[in-house]
Amino acid sequence: MEDYKKILFGTDFSENADVAFEHAINLAGKYKARLYIVHVINIAPMATYEPYMPVIDFSDFSRNVEARLQKDYIPRIPPSITAESKVLSGYPAVEMANFVDQEGVDLIVVGAHGESGLVYTLFGSVADRLVRRARCSVLVVRSSSATHNQE
């Protein structure tokens, strides 16, 4: 069993992310690991509507997301766990994988969306992309109320 020193929890603020956060806290506590709480402002939807990528100032939006990370997650972390929040912008799987490489993260914890049908077939999920792209282990946590894909 690997000892995890740095754990990245990726959040989209969904119900599944909330369940995954509990796993991330437990693992960080068990391994005395540093916990990174990361949200990526997804630029993908904007890129599909424009023939070029416009220059957008995400400063205000980024501050609002950081405030939400501080409100929703930081108070729930026990004092024994060292945690840091980060707001990135770009394509979520790419940005998180890059962050993993830069910071030497050992484990990524994310929630599964349980998307099905055409949306999942066309776009997949951030969790799927992380599993393929990341150079560390990825724990995909499914909430008990998540919809199961039908194959």
Side-chain angles (χ1 to χ4, degrees):
M1 184 74 148
E2 186 167 340
D3 282 345
Y4 302 113
K5 302 285 186 231
K6 296 180 180 181
I7 297 173
L8 182 153
F9 161 66
T11 183
D12 60 359
F13 301 106
S14 68
E15 176 186 333
N16 280 327
D18 203 45
V19 174
F21 183 63
E22 294 303 321
H23 286 269
I25 289 173
N26 288 336
L27 288 166
K30 178 179 180 179
Y31 291 103
K32 297 178 177 55
R34 178 178 198 88
L35 180 63
Y36 295 99
I37 303 165
V38 176
H39 176 80
V40 180
I41 299 170
N42 189 353
I43 64 165
M46 290 173 254
T48 60
Y49 296 117
E50 296 288 333
Y52 62 94
M53 186 60 199
V55 176
I56 299 173
D57 181 7
F58 286 110
S59 303
D60 288 339
F61 190 66
S62 182
R63 280 192 291 277
N64 290 337
V65 170
E66 178 62 36
R68 186 165 180 196
L69 291 174
Q70 293 295 320
K71 179 178 83 67
D72 291 358
Y73 295 111
I74 299 300
R76 296 165 51 194
I77 299 171
S80 60
I81 296 174
T82 302
E84 181 178 337
S85 61
K86 293 284 184 186
V87 178
L88 308 171
S89 63
Y91 296 96
V94 171
E95 294 303 320
M96 281 192 266
N98 289 342
F99 185 85
V100 162
D101 292 344
Q102 291 167 2
E103 296 296 327
V105 170
D106 307 301
L107 177 68
I108 300 170
V109 180
V110 292
H113 276 294
E115 291 186 17
S116 61
L118 187 60
V119 171
Y120 182 83
T121 302
L122 292 176
F123 301 111
S125 72
V126 171
D128 290 338
R129 289 185 183 101
L130 277 171
V131 168
R132 290 192 304 270
R133 181 177 285 273
R135 293 186 184 166
C136 67
S137 296
V138 179
L139 174 60
V140 180
V141 179
R142 184 178 296 279
S143 74
S144 59
S145 65
T147 305
H148 295 284
N149 291 334
Q150 299 204 359
E151 299 189 22

